[in-house]
Amino acid sequence: MKNLTLEEIGKKARRAKEVLRTLSTNEKNEVLRASADALISQIEMLLAENKLDVEQARKNQMAAALVDRLQLTEARIAQMAEGLRQIADLEDPVGEVLSMKQRPNGLMIGQKRVPLGVIGIIYESRPNVTADAFGLCFKAGNVVILRGGKDAIHSNSAITTVLRDALAKCSLPADAIQLITDTSHETAETFMRLNQYVDVLIPRGGAGLIRTVVEHATVPVIETGTGNCHIYVDQSADLSMAMDIIVNAKTQRIGVCNACESLVVHQNIKDALLPALAQRLKEKNVELRGDEASRSACADILPATEEDWGTEYLDYILSVKTVPGIEEAISHINRYNTGHSEAIITNDYHNSQKFLDEVDAAAVYVNASTRFTDGFEFGFGAEIGISTQKLHARGPMGLKELTSTKYIVYGNGQVRP
Amino acid sequence: MKNLTLEEIGKKARRAKEVLRTLSTNEKNEVLRASADALISQIEMLLAENKLDVEQARKNQMAAALVDRLQLTEARIAQMAEGLRQIADLEDPVGEVLSMKQRPNGLMIGQKRVPLGVIGIIYESRPNVTADAFGLCFKAGNVVILRGGKDAIHSNSAITTVLRDALAKCSLPADAIQLITDTSHETAETFMRLNQYVDVLIPRGGAGLIRTVVEHATVPVIETGTGNCHIYVDQSADLSMAMDIIVNAKTQRIGVCNACESLVVHQNIKDALLPALAQRLKEKNVELRGDEASRSACADILPATEEDWGTEYLDYILSVKTVPGIEEAISHINRYNTGHSEAIITNDYHNSQKFLDEVDAAAVYVNASTRFTDGFEFGFGAEIGISTQKLHARGPMGLKELTSTKYIVYGNGQVRP
């Protein structure tokens, strides 16, 4: 593909948007299934293009973990294809009328779900995002403009070409997906200000990427954020349940935004909980860093600094804070959390409700692992990210969060008096 | 009030937010009614402070219409107070659980309406916005930070003082409303980037103000926009109904965003419609500017230029475009509209549905005046503005649009396998 200007890309997106808005669910599903087939039939080509990226990355001495994220395999391509088929099976959010009421003057006013229009996705080096983001945006009737990382440019271009061909074969505009192939920062920043053509930006990647987008964008952004998630173990907690949940939330998967990073413990149970918990976490190689009170209960806990309370480790480390009661637990969490997922382990009715009411986060749990904050676990069947902002969408975002609404009004000649 | 730094204002807002989040509806209504009483009891003081602004404005040779917007009268203060009482009577959106479902693993997951937190309002010279915006934000459990225009600084400060006193008398934090008294542009721009403390910005004012906020803000913005609203008269329209609706939408109130600015007419009815319509609009002093085909039907129509199609006149002017059919009508509207309110007058079933489906705007009408796009007319009982963006809220925004949601999850020990 030659480098188009952003203006050209924007105009093509706008034309494609007009077509996508009118597609039936069946037409969209046909494209998704054809795209899945096309990815499978092009595995050789995709692997060859990906190899170019991987070789360049190794030449640039990219860290092994990042090279792994970049690398495609037959299995990973099959997974991308399967993801598109799963999206085809999901209910189409577009067209639902959320409510329709008759006003005293006879006007029938309803709110109908419609596509957002053109969605810009800015992401880092995982090439699978190219197919996933297209699938979700397309199912919700949206055009997508992708700006991936420089490291994955051959892979992203190859995947985009396959998807564009699949669209064209279904007699639909290939411009339903476009990739910005100029990966300069200047072009990315101009893209973030392309309000004339882009309705919303969704950055997918680390904290640095998201900060950059929020800082530079004039297009509205849906911020997917970091998770400094807490578990508070209340005095009345079932300690065995608490330990199972903490071990799960901390270690079931390290490096994800809904993993537990900080433990808050009622002071009256620190001696009963912490030594036994430390033992179990030690088996998983988790380092504990706590305040003085926690260290008096368990010698294995290293001293924590102020910085620990605000840190999303994404690592085998857990901070431990002791508190005299629920009030202080909530204050501590509301001060240091990132608005992602927070849990209380308790058997106290009043405290459970108070925690749900007063902790300010996208998802608040009683007696369950924070690891459930996820579009699949919440039953949405898919996920484009987890929003930690308060506008438009908060928490896991599925297909519905990729739509807007419009008011439709049926009259019979009404004028305003 | 002394000039606090934005940092100080932000910290105070954050503390007040913790209290507002936990208020019952009764407690909030008590404050709203006490605030209304306080405005009435302080009428003398409010008028005296407003007089300072008005005198300064006259000295600065402010246009008469703007001085009128700035001026408070006994009746206008009574209206502000009545507005607060009406807000007290509205249903509280906070606390509603939008849905709660049980997942296969037994987790009960629901979405609960919660306040947005801290809302920043940036507005121009109408001092009544001070009380209105406070009332709406407060009822939805939000703290408000106001940045009004320099011209209205005495009026806004006086109203804010009255409302803060009312809050304090109800033993609640006066910082639920704060006014930024430093009206410099630098401070306004810093305010727009106060992400640490402000959850959302709502600019209220003209297109220039809104552009500035969108351009500079890093805090998420709800854009309330301009309205280049169209009425399309289809071939099958009842022409008498069409004329009533057009006259209403154009002239019932000039200078508002939901007034009709542009007429689109099916070519087959131009001769039957335009001369009669021009006659009725002439009585209201409306100037018509049209394309050649429309001018061949009616000699009173002046020639339109390309610029006319995209202009929100807010004046006694209406543009007229002739089209060969519904396709071209929709294309024209989607090209030039501002995503506000668009209407079709028709008796054709297929065309009515096609128009509702394909026109891209916050509100789309069949056989009714665009002037109904309004929170009160839509039955919300109040309105903070009309959103023309697609994220979070689209169309008239009432109390619900001043809330966010959070997921609440009830478990009994679930961990992720």
Side-chain angles (χ1 to χ4, degrees):
Chain A
M1 276 179 287
K2 74 178 176 75
N3 274 359
L4 297 173
T5 66
L6 288 178
E7 182 81 15
E8 290 167 324
I9 289 175
K11 283 191 175 150
K12 282 166 180 284
R14 189 155 66 179
R15 279 194 293 270
K17 174 170 86 165
E18 298 300 321
V19 178
L20 262 58
R21 183 159 45 215
T22 65
L23 295 184
S24 70
T25 307
N26 287 341
E27 289 171 301
K28 291 188 283 192
N29 291 345
E30 193 197 333
V31 170
L32 291 166
R33 295 198 177 102
S35 299
D37 294 344
L39 287 172
I40 298 295
S41 74
Q42 294 288 320
I43 276 191
E44 299 296 312
M45 184 276 280
L46 293 171
L47 291 175
E49 292 295 313
N50 178 248
K51 206 174 162 194
L52 298 175
D53 288 332
V54 169
E55 278 169 4
Q56 186 61 46
R58 290 211 172 106
K59 231 180 263 173
N60 297 345
Q61 307 194 299
M62 185 188 272
L66 292 179
V67 173
D68 178 63
R69 279 168 36 156
L70 179 59
Q71 190 146 36
L72 291 178
T73 60
E74 256 186 63
R76 284 180 181 181
I77 294 169
Q79 213 173 8
M80 281 199 280
E82 184 51 29
L84 293 175
R85 290 200 186 96
Q86 283 171 3
I87 293 169
D89 291 338
L90 294 178
E91 202 180 332
D92 186 348
V94 172
E96 181 189 8
V97 176
L98 301 176
S99 71
M100 172 142 327
K101 284 184 187 159
Q102 186 158 314
R103 297 289 304 150
N105 61 4
L107 283 180
M108 294 280 298
I109 303 183
Q111 208 176 8
K112 190 176 176 181
R113 234 182 240 298
V114 297
L116 280 166
V118 178
I119 298 180
I121 309 269
I122 300 182
Y123 58 115
E124 293 175 329
S125 60
R126 283 182 205 272
N128 65 305
V129 171
T130 311
D132 292 354
F134 162 72
L136 289 166
C137 292
F138 183 78
K139 178 72 181 240
N142 299 294
V143 170
V144 72
I145 302 176
L146 300 165
R147 196 279 187 187
K150 192 178 174 180
D151 302 324
I153 187 69
H154 292 97
S155 316
N156 291 339
S157 295
I159 295 167
T160 303
T161 302
V162 171
L163 299 174
R164 288 174 60 90
D165 289 350
L167 280 155
K169 272 190 193 145
C170 295
S171 307
L172 288 176
D175 294 329
I177 173 172
Q178 293 182 84
L179 178 72
I180 299 172
T181 48
D182 167 2
T183 55
S184 71
H185 285 295
E186 295 69 35
T187 300
E189 287 188 14
T190 310
F191 180 44
M192 297 174 202
R193 305 174 79 83
L194 210 63
N195 295 52
Q196 205 189 339
Y197 299 109
V198 183
D199 294 290
V200 51
L201 280 181
I202 306 178
R204 287 192 55 172
L209 172 74
I210 290 160
R211 242 194 329 271
T212 303
V213 174
V214 168
E215 184 63 28
H216 291 96
T218 51
V219 174
V221 175
I222 302 182
E223 211 175 315
T224 58
T226 54
N228 183 23
C229 305
H230 297 73
I231 294 177
Y232 167 56
V233 187
D234 196 24
Q235 183 170 9
S236 63
D238 172 333
L239 296 188
S240 151
M241 181 199 288
M243 283 193 277
D244 289 346
I245 289 174
I246 294 161
V247 170
N248 180 262
K250 180 69 238 177
T251 70
Q252 192 258 348
R253 194 165 163 206
I254 291 288
V256 288
C257 59
N258 56 17
C260 178
E261 304 289 7
S262 191
L263 188 63
V264 183
V265 179
H266 193 288
Q267 63 190 16
N268 294 0
I269 55 160
K270 66 179 167 46
D271 297 312
L273 176 71
L274 291 175
L277 176 67
Q279 188 55 40
R280 283 190 57 184
L281 287 172
K282 206 176 194 175
E283 290 161 19
K284 303 272 187 178
N285 298 310
V286 176
E287 175 184 314
L288 293 170
R289 298 183 189 171
D291 59 7
E292 251 183 65
S294 70
R295 298 183 65 217
S296 75
C298 173
D300 286 347
I301 300 177
L302 302 173
T305 65
E306 170 69 20
E307 208 193 326
D308 282 293
W309 310 132
T311 301
E312 183 190 25
Y313 300 114
L314 300 172
D315 201 351
Y316 288 89
I317 308 170
L318 182 69
S319 71
V320 186
K321 169 82 183 171
T322 325
V323 293
I326 179 103
E327 291 287 356
E328 294 78 6
I330 292 172
S331 295
H332 178 82
I333 292 171
N334 280 343
R335 174 151 177 210
Y336 292 103
N337 84 349
T338 54
H340 199 293
S341 301
E342 314 297 333
I344 182 173
I345 317 299
T346 189
N347 194 36
D348 184 284
Y349 173 79
H350 171 260
N351 288 357
S352 68
Q353 296 290 6
K354 187 177 172 73
F355 192 88
L356 290 176
D357 282 350
E358 296 183 19
V359 168
D360 193 16
V364 192
Y365 293 81
V366 180
N367 294 346
S369 169
T370 54
R371 285 282 292 118
F372 287 108
T373 304
D374 174 292
F376 295 90
E377 295 294 333
F378 274 29
F380 306 162
E383 181 189 289
I384 188 91
I386 295 170
S387 163
T388 52
Q389 68 173 37
K390 292 182 179 176
L391 277 193
H392 185 70
R394 195 175 187 206
M397 295 186 289
L399 288 173
K400 271 189 192 168
E401 285 70 27
L402 293 174
T403 65
S404 180
T405 57
K406 73 176 169 193
Y407 283 99
I408 56 174
V409 186
Y410 292 94
N412 48 24
Q414 283 85 349
V415 297
R416 191 154 163 189
Chain B
M1 276 179 290
K2 73 178 177 73
N3 275 357
L4 296 173
T5 66
L6 288 178
E7 182 81 15
E8 289 167 324
I9 289 175
K11 282 190 176 151
K12 283 167 180 282
R14 190 155 66 179
R15 278 194 294 272
K17 174 170 87 164
E18 298 300 320
V19 178
L20 262 59
R21 184 160 43 213
T22 64
L23 296 184
S24 69
T25 307
N26 287 341
E27 288 170 301
K28 291 188 282 192
N29 291 345
E30 191 197 335
V31 169
L32 290 166
R33 296 197 176 102
S35 299
D37 293 345
L39 287 172
I40 298 295
S41 74
Q42 295 288 319
I43 276 189
E44 301 296 311
M45 184 277 278
L46 293 170
L47 291 176
E49 291 294 315
N50 178 249
K51 206 175 162 192
L52 298 175
D53 288 331
V54 169
E55 278 168 4
Q56 186 61 46
R58 291 208 173 107
K59 231 181 265 173
N60 297 346
Q61 308 194 299
M62 186 189 271
L66 292 179
V67 173
D68 178 65
R69 280 170 32 157
L70 178 60
Q71 190 147 35
L72 291 178
T73 60
E74 254 185 64
R76 285 182 179 180
I77 294 170
Q79 214 172 7
M80 281 198 281
E82 184 51 28
L84 293 175
R85 288 199 187 96
Q86 283 172 2
I87 293 169
D89 290 339
L90 294 177
E91 203 180 331
D92 186 346
V94 172
E96 182 189 6
V97 177
L98 300 176
S99 70
M100 172 142 326
K101 285 185 186 157
Q102 185 158 316
R103 298 287 306 149
N105 61 4
L107 283 179
M108 294 281 298
I109 304 184
Q111 208 175 9
K112 190 175 178 182
R113 237 184 238 296
V114 298
L116 281 166
V118 178
I119 299 179
I121 309 267
I122 301 183
Y123 58 115
E124 293 176 328
S125 61
R126 284 181 203 272
N128 64 304
V129 171
T130 311
D132 292 355
F134 162 72
L136 288 165
C137 292
F138 182 78
K139 178 71 181 240
N142 299 294
V143 169
V144 72
I145 302 177
L146 301 164
R147 195 278 187 186
K150 193 178 174 182
D151 302 324
I153 187 69
H154 291 98
S155 315
N156 291 339
S157 295
I159 295 167
T160 302
T161 301
V162 170
L163 298 174
R164 288 174 60 90
D165 289 350
L167 279 155
K169 271 189 193 145
C170 295
S171 308
L172 288 175
D175 293 328
I177 173 172
Q178 294 181 84
L179 178 72
I180 299 173
T181 48
D182 167 2
T183 56
S184 70
H185 285 294
E186 295 69 36
T187 299
E189 288 189 13
T190 310
F191 180 43
M192 296 176 205
R193 305 175 78 84
L194 210 61
N195 296 52
Q196 205 189 340
Y197 299 109
V198 183
D199 294 290
V200 50
L201 280 180
I202 306 178
R204 288 191 55 172
L209 172 75
I210 290 160
R211 243 195 328 271
T212 302
V213 174
V214 169
E215 184 63 28
H216 291 97
T218 50
V219 175
V221 175
I222 302 181
E223 210 174 316
T224 57
T226 53
N228 183 24
C229 304
H230 297 72
I231 293 177
Y232 168 55
V233 187
D234 195 24
Q235 184 170 10
S236 64
D238 172 334
L239 296 187
S240 151
M241 181 200 285
M243 283 194 277
D244 289 347
I245 288 174
I246 294 161
V247 171
N248 180 262
K250 180 69 238 176
T251 69
Q252 191 258 347
R253 194 165 163 205
I254 292 288
V256 289
C257 58
N258 56 16
C260 177
E261 304 289 8
S262 191
L263 189 63
V264 183
V265 180
H266 193 288
Q267 62 190 15
N268 294 0
I269 55 159
K270 66 180 166 47
D271 298 311
L273 176 70
L274 291 175
L277 176 67
Q279 188 57 40
R280 285 192 53 186
L281 287 172
K282 206 177 196 175
E283 291 161 19
K284 303 273 189 178
N285 298 311
V286 176
E287 176 185 312
L288 293 170
R289 298 183 188 171
D291 59 8
E292 252 182 63
S294 70
R295 298 183 65 219
S296 75
C298 173
D300 286 347
I301 301 178
L302 303 173
T305 64
E306 170 71 20
E307 207 193 327
D308 282 292
W309 310 133
T311 301
E312 183 190 26
Y313 300 113
L314 300 172
D315 201 350
Y316 288 90
I317 308 171
L318 182 69
S319 69
V320 186
K321 170 81 183 173
T322 324
V323 292
I326 178 105
E327 290 286 355
E328 294 78 6
I330 291 172
S331 295
H332 178 82
I333 292 171
N334 280 342
R335 174 152 179 209
Y336 292 104
N337 83 350
T338 53
H340 199 292
S341 301
E342 314 298 332
I344 183 173
I345 317 301
T346 189
N347 194 37
D348 185 283
Y349 173 79
H350 171 260
N351 288 358
S352 68
Q353 296 290 8
K354 188 178 172 71
F355 192 88
L356 289 177
D357 282 350
E358 297 183 17
V359 168
D360 194 15
V364 192
Y365 293 80
V366 179
N367 295 343
S369 170
T370 54
R371 286 281 293 118
F372 287 107
T373 304
D374 174 291
F376 295 91
E377 295 294 332
F378 273 30
F380 306 161
E383 181 189 289
I384 189 93
I386 295 171
S387 163
T388 53
Q389 68 172 39
K390 292 183 177 175
L391 277 193
H392 185 70
R394 195 175 187 203
M397 296 187 288
L399 289 173
K400 272 189 191 169
E401 285 69 28
L402 294 175
T403 64
S404 181
T405 57
K406 72 175 170 194
Y407 283 100
I408 56 174
V409 186
Y410 291 94
N412 47 25
Q414 283 85 349
V415 297
R416 190 155 164 189

